[in-house]
Amino acid sequence: MAERARRDPAPRVSAEPALRALPALLARNADEDGSRPFLSDVRGSRTRAEVWEQARRTASGFLGLGLVPGDRVAVMLDNALEFVGTWFGLATAGLVQVPLNPAVRGERLVHALTHSGATVLVAEARCLAQFEEIAAQLPALRTIVLVGGRGDTSFETVPYERLAAAEVGTLPAITRADTTAIMYTSGSTGPAKGVLVPHGQHYTNGWQAVRQAEITADDRIFVTLPLHHNMAQGYGVMAGVVSGAEVYVSAGFRRAAFWDEVRAARATVLPFVGSILALLIAQEGAEENPLRVAYGVPVPPSLHEAFEKRFGLRLIDGYGSTEGTIPAWGSLRGDRAIGSSGRIVPEFEVAILGADDLPVPEGATGEICIRAREPFSMFQGYFRDAERTVRALRNFWFHSGDRGRFDAGGNLWFEGRIDDVVRRFGEFVPAKEVEEAVSRHDAVELVAAYGIASDVAGQEVMVAVVVKEGRTVSAEELRARVAEELPPFAVPRFVEFFGELPMTPTGKVEKHKLRARGVTDATFDARG
């Protein structure tokens, strides 16, 4: 195995409130050692001073579009330094990023853009067709900042290069209480929720990763997760901002090229989702690599132990959400309960509550509920949704919608979602959204969507379908129908036809019975 250098277990990280806003951290890093490399991708590297200068120029460019602090700007970019530069510029200008998956289209895209009130969008030129399809439904969107070329569009466009080259002007003071992002995350019913993320939460995210993984300025963090996700931003890039470590931005996870890219980047730290580990362990080679630690949500104990042994690194498990950060972490040192989410960190409290919002007995399963011990360390509510905010934060606890339990050693065990949602490759897919898309086929009488456990994807989407009497439809036809309006990660992999579905006396589909039945010989599998 590659030899890992010893590192100071107490990295330099300031906890001063004034340094819990992104611009202050970028300025600190530039002032302390501006020539040190900070951000890189396959095209090259930027120093701390260059990143800070670029953030101020980009901030001035955005404000030059007539935006004022607090305005929302949607970001629909691939993984690259332009995404990070856009995010840093928006944060420095006091603007609010609304990161979106470039694969999203149709109603999901309309909802995120109209609900956020974004008047400016930063997007890949190749995505223009997705906006032209819905242009009539976007009356507030006036300007698209284009990255990667030009294209025909009815919207006003600005080249990213011109915006990022603006002269530095007067910039606002930013505090940890200011909102830095609205991240849309779906529940089981209704439209996606806009999670209000303050600067202080982004700092907390990065600080948690730094402490638990013992990250120092000598590390190199490999970010292959999509930057529109909080895991990549908060626990990847922000861990580098907080610690001063170098951050390498990968264009995206590609199993065949992964280890070559890790070695070329000389990466030592990897934020992950479980599917990455399952895919990597299935291929040969790459036992020699520079990684020393990786962290993410728990994976099955057998995979955890096999991965550590084969690749010579340490895995750290955690439990978290966009709203509640990661309040439970495993440890790089000492005893571990592999398969659990670890223990609660000092900045947070976690309780397992019953339906009456009272604590359940030790070892019993209930809802995982979270609250912060310090201000602005977790989400500040749901944007333009007071009802959901009050419901989620009732009785001074954030109600996560997840089931879990504590063991006698204080380890948190995640037991699944309370609401009806499928989590596939880190994307939340509301069952209702899939069901509505399938049911719009005129041959469908009834449909139920649910998740099937997968070692690679976490969960795969499955639909159980009842066809109207006298009608026929194939699984391929239904999948094609769904693909017209849903992103690829939401298209069901499994389809099965039934004469009838199990129902409760009140007319609800008993999905727990369908999940228990799982995949059978009668199930269509899109992967054969």
Side-chain angles (χ1 to χ4, degrees), residues 259-329:
W259 290 115
D260 287 340
E261 198 173 3
V262 165
R263 281 188 288 262
R266 294 175 294 147
T268 58
V269 178
L270 173 70
F272 71 83
V273 293
S275 57
I276 288 179
L277 306 191
L279 289 169
L280 290 176
I281 205 165
Q283 67 180 12
E284 297 181 359
E287 282 77 5
E288 295 291 338
N289 70 86
L291 291 176
R292 65 174 184 85
V293 63
Y295 45 83
V297 297
V299 296
S302 59
L303 174 58
H304 184 122
E305 293 168 348
F307 200 91
E308 286 190 331
K309 181 178 180 181
R310 178 174 168 187
F311 297 112
L313 52 79
R314 191 70 173 253
L315 298 182
I316 301 177
D317 296 323
Y319 163 80
S321 62
T322 304
E323 294 95 329
T325 78
I326 301 182
W329 285 81

Side-chain angles (χ1 to χ4, degrees), residues 378-393:
M378 56 186 290
F379 90 122
Q380 299 298 291
Y382 296 115
F383 185 60
R384 291 179 172 169
D385 199 335
E387 182 180 346
R388 274 181 167 172
T389 299
V390 171
R391 188 165 63 244
L393 295 173

Side-chain angles (χ1 to χ4, degrees), residues 24-306:
L25 289 165
L26 295 176
R28 179 203 67 181
N29 291 347
D31 289 342
E32 288 188 352
D33 190 353
S35 63
R36 191 180 184 110
F38 178 35
L39 286 177
S40 59
D41 65 9
V42 69
R43 297 168 299 173
S45 177
R46 293 179 185 171
T47 65
R48 294 175 175 181
E50 289 170 338
V51 168
W52 177 225
E53 173 71 10
Q54 189 65 67
R56 290 182 293 156
R57 287 184 176 275
T58 305
S60 300
F62 277 117
L63 294 175
L65 296 178
L67 297 166
V68 298
D71 282 348
R72 281 78 59 198
V73 176
V75 180
M76 198 165 174
L77 298 176
D78 297 327
N79 271 31
L81 294 191
E82 286 81 1
F83 192 125
V84 182
T86 297
W87 160 24
F88 286 1
L90 292 173
T92 302
L95 299 167
V96 180
Q97 61 150 328
V98 183
L100 303 174
N101 185 338
V104 169
R105 62 192 310 152
E107 288 304 314
R108 273 196 177 199
L109 188 54
V110 170
H111 171 70
L113 291 172
T114 57
H115 184 266
S116 68
T119 57
V120 174
L121 163 74
V122 186
E124 303 285 348
R126 63 176 174 77
C127 293
L128 279 176
Q130 292 165 242
F131 304 107
E132 287 303 309
E133 291 174 356
I134 56 175
Q137 299 171 265
L138 304 175
L141 184 64
R142 57 179 174 81
T143 303
I144 298 180
V145 178
L146 283 181
V147 175
R150 302 180 182 277
D152 294 329
T153 177
S154 57
F155 296 98
E156 174 191 4
T157 62
V158 175
Y160 177 84
E161 295 79 9
R162 189 176 80 194
L163 180 140
E167 291 296 321
V168 176
T170 302
L171 298 171
I174 307 299
T175 74
R176 61 177 176 168
D178 293 316
T179 301
T180 187
I182 299 174
M183 293 189 166
Y184 281 88
T185 179
S186 299
S188 60
T189 59
K193 307 182 293 291
V195 179
L196 290 165
V197 178
H199 278 261
Q201 180 180 352
H202 254 169
Y203 170 89
T204 299
N205 293 345
W207 159 235
Q208 290 172 330
V210 167
R211 179 181 56 201
Q212 299 304 124
E214 300 179 7
I215 299 171
T216 74
D218 293 329
D219 276 303
R220 293 181 180 86
I221 303 170
F222 190 81
V223 177
T224 191
L225 300 174
L227 281 166
H228 61 265
H229 270 192
N230 191 41
M231 188 68 185
Q233 287 196 17
Y235 302 95
V237 177
M238 282 303 298
V241 173
V242 171
S243 66
E246 187 174 349
V247 176
Y248 181 89
V249 178
S250 166
F253 177 72
R254 295 173 298 153
R255 177 170 56 175
F258 177 82
W259 290 115
D260 287 340
E261 198 173 3
V262 165
R263 281 188 288 262
R266 294 175 294 147
T268 58
V269 178
L270 173 70
F272 71 83
V273 293
S275 57
I276 288 179
L277 306 191
L279 289 169
L280 290 176
I281 205 165
Q283 67 180 12
E284 297 181 359
E287 282 77 5
E288 295 291 338
N289 70 86
L291 291 176
R292 65 174 184 85
V293 63
Y295 45 83
V297 297
V299 296
S302 59
L303 174 58
H304 184 122
E305 293 168 348

